[in-house]
Amino acid sequence: MRCSLLRSSLAESQRWMQQLRGKGLFATKPYNEGEIILEEVPLVSCQFAWNAAYRYLACEYCMRPLETPEQNVRRLAGKPDIVLPHPDCVNSNLEQPSHVKNVMYCFVLLQMHYPPETTSIMLLVRILAFIQQSSDPNSAVARIKQFCHRTVNEDAELVHKLLGEQFTNQLNTLRELTANVINGEHIQEFLTPEGFCTLMALVGTNGQGVGTSPLAMWVNAVLSIAMSDDERTQLDLFIDKLYQYVEEESGTFLNTEGSGLYELQSACNHSCAPNAEVSFPYGNHRLQLKAVKQIMPGEEIYISYLDECSLQRSRHSRQKELAQNYLFVCWCALLSQAAHRLLTSAEASDEEIDQDD
């Protein structure tokens, strides 16, 4: 009986997998490990509210740092006398970017989840502003709607965690406040109770984390400089000490962090053993998708929706997190193999029980 139940559960989950797959992104040419697949900037992006609390300085539009690596590490380490070697290896143009005008925001605290969910508040407004300010609002609405924006997965009986019953009052308040800030003919459908929940689910399901760090940019740049073995050893020790100072003063090192909506990246499906990964090599919100293993023409390009720590957790924990945040039950190749091993183990146990009888 136990084996038949496992088989039934596996078959049902695989059926869901076929129904819930996203649009998918497929290779049209071969890519070697380390090769860049694509680059793109988001339709909209936004910093987390906690950046201000931690005194991070970054452009409100593109999230490019507005402090030098030396200023960054001095603040994080609480040591104003730190001097970084090779300061010119990073181009630190601290002039306000040309795309930034006078910026003023009003943050409404509604006791939602702490970051990353708090960024949803500003991303919602920016999505609506993207539509309102577009020269072709109808086309802008269509671009937003191409993102996965289901609030519920009826087949798997899943509801996005941002839309739980405990947040009903907060969501209603947030919707009313949003309607007071921005309104118009082309965004009315997103300001109804149902439409607003759809917009919230869209952000929660598609938001790609963005991180920038002047210190990390300096470390990557300085490690690429040619130097003697002794100099390299001394530099490695110096960098280790820097991160130790930062951890002692500020805790686990935090980047300037936020979230964005990317049209191409959002088409990538998840795998617990991905063949591509996302990075931000330019120190702003420009995303780069790079192959982590060889990809052949026609092969689907997969990324992981989970961070590195979550990928190390159990099969059950990964499936739970993906169901809560992305409304699907994951049965990628890695999880299918784990389920097969579990099924095989269960069959072996049943055989032992039969022999004992």
Side-chain angles (χ1 to χ4, degrees):
M1 177 64 72
R2 179 171 52 177
C3 291
S4 62
L5 287 175
L6 281 169
R7 290 193 189 94
S8 175
S9 176
L10 178 58
E12 185 69 7
S13 297
Q14 289 174 327
R15 182 180 67 82
W16 286 342
M17 177 186 69
Q18 294 301 319
Q19 293 178 351
L20 303 179
R21 286 169 66 93
K23 292 174 291 186
L25 194 66
F26 295 84
T28 58
K29 56 173 259 185
Y31 292 97
N32 294 319
E33 180 180 348
E35 192 172 351
I36 297 172
I37 300 171
L38 62 86
E39 292 184 354
E40 67 172 323
V41 296
L43 290 184
V44 292
S45 64
C46 180
Q47 295 184 42
F48 291 153
W50 69 13
N51 289 341
Y54 283 89
R55 295 183 292 124
Y56 282 97
L57 299 174
C59 169
E60 286 288 348
Y61 171 71
C62 72
M63 293 184 60
R64 180 168 63 82
L66 297 177
E67 60 182 345
T68 66
E70 194 166 82
Q71 291 171 334
N72 181 238
V73 72
R74 285 178 174 180
R75 176 174 56 78
L76 291 171
K79 295 183 179 297
D81 58 343
I82 288 178
V83 177
L84 296 183
H86 308 287
D88 296 333
C89 68
V90 175
N91 179 22
S92 299
N93 178 11
L94 299 184
E95 293 183 6
Q96 182 167 279
S98 59
H99 49 246
V100 178
K101 307 301 181 185
N102 293 325
V103 179
M104 181 170 63
Y105 296 112
C106 176
F107 289 95
V108 182
L109 301 181
L110 294 170
Q111 297 302 312
M112 297 290 281
H113 289 281
Y114 198 58
E117 285 82 354
T118 48
T119 192
S120 303
I121 297 173
M122 288 307 301
L123 270 180
L124 293 173
V125 176
R126 292 194 178 192
I127 290 172
L128 298 177
F130 169 78
I131 296 171
Q132 284 286 82
Q133 297 171 5
S134 172
S135 58
D136 185 354
N138 290 326
S139 176
V141 168
R143 292 179 73 181
I144 293 299
K145 285 185 175 181
Q146 74 178 339
F147 291 95
C148 174
H149 54 276
R150 290 171 303 166
T151 59
V152 176
N153 176 336
E154 293 83 358
D155 289 328
E157 298 181 354
L158 301 173
V159 178
H160 198 282
K161 72 174 186 179
L162 290 180
L163 305 178
E165 292 183 1
Q166 69 271 34
F167 298 128
T168 300
N169 293 334
Q170 292 96 323
L171 284 170
N172 285 333
T173 302
L174 180 58
R175 180 178 63 84
E176 293 170 0
L177 291 171
T178 301
N180 289 336
V181 171
I182 184 168
N183 216 310
E185 174 187 354
H186 298 284
I187 61 174
Q188 283 306 306
E189 64 177 296
F190 296 113
L191 296 175
T192 65
E194 181 179 355
F196 194 77
C197 285
T198 296
L199 199 60
M200 181 67 81
L202 182 154
V203 169
T205 304
N206 296 275
Q208 165 64 49
V210 181
T212 65
S213 167
L215 176 56
M217 291 173 63
W218 174 81
V219 169
N220 290 334
V222 78
L223 289 178
S224 66
I225 297 175
M227 58 184 70
S228 69
D229 291 343
D230 287 343
E231 289 175 316
R232 176 72 61 195
T233 299
Q234 292 302 313
L235 178 63
D236 288 342
L237 291 173
F238 178 76
I239 292 173
D240 288 343
K241 199 66 176 178
L242 285 182
Y243 279 104
Q244 181 182 332
Y245 288 149
V246 168
E247 185 172 352
E248 291 172 353
E249 176 68 19
S250 301
T252 303
F253 178 68
L254 299 174
N255 299 332
T256 301
E257 296 181 354
S259 185
L261 296 180
Y262 296 82
E263 289 183 280
L264 292 175
Q265 176 271 341
S266 70
C268 291
N269 283 312
H270 165 81
S271 173
C272 294
N275 56 14
E277 66 179 5
V278 167
S279 63
F280 297 89
Y282 303 106
N284 57 18
H285 67 189
R286 186 175 185 85
L287 174 150
Q288 188 176 90
L289 185 64
K290 184 180 294 186
V292 296
K293 59 183 70 172
Q294 188 177 48
I295 302 173
M296 300 306 293
E299 187 176 347
E300 185 166 4
I301 297 170
Y302 292 103
I303 61 174
S304 173
Y305 294 177
L306 304 175
D307 59 34
E308 188 173 345
C309 291
S310 296
L311 282 176
Q312 303 306 315
R313 297 168 65 188
S314 69
R315 175 178 62 90
H316 174 75
S317 296
R318 282 178 282 163
Q319 287 181 322
K320 180 179 179 181
E321 184 172 344
L322 289 166
Q324 288 180 336
N325 289 282
Y326 301 102
L327 296 181
F328 72 92
V329 178
C330 178
W331 283 101
C332 64
L334 188 63
L335 285 177
S336 295
Q337 291 169 8
H340 178 71
R341 287 195 298 269
L342 178 62
L343 179 60
T344 303
S345 175
E347 288 175 337
S349 298
D350 280 351
E351 288 175 2
E352 293 173 3
I353 293 173
D354 291 340
Q355 289 173 359
D356 291 339
D357 291 342

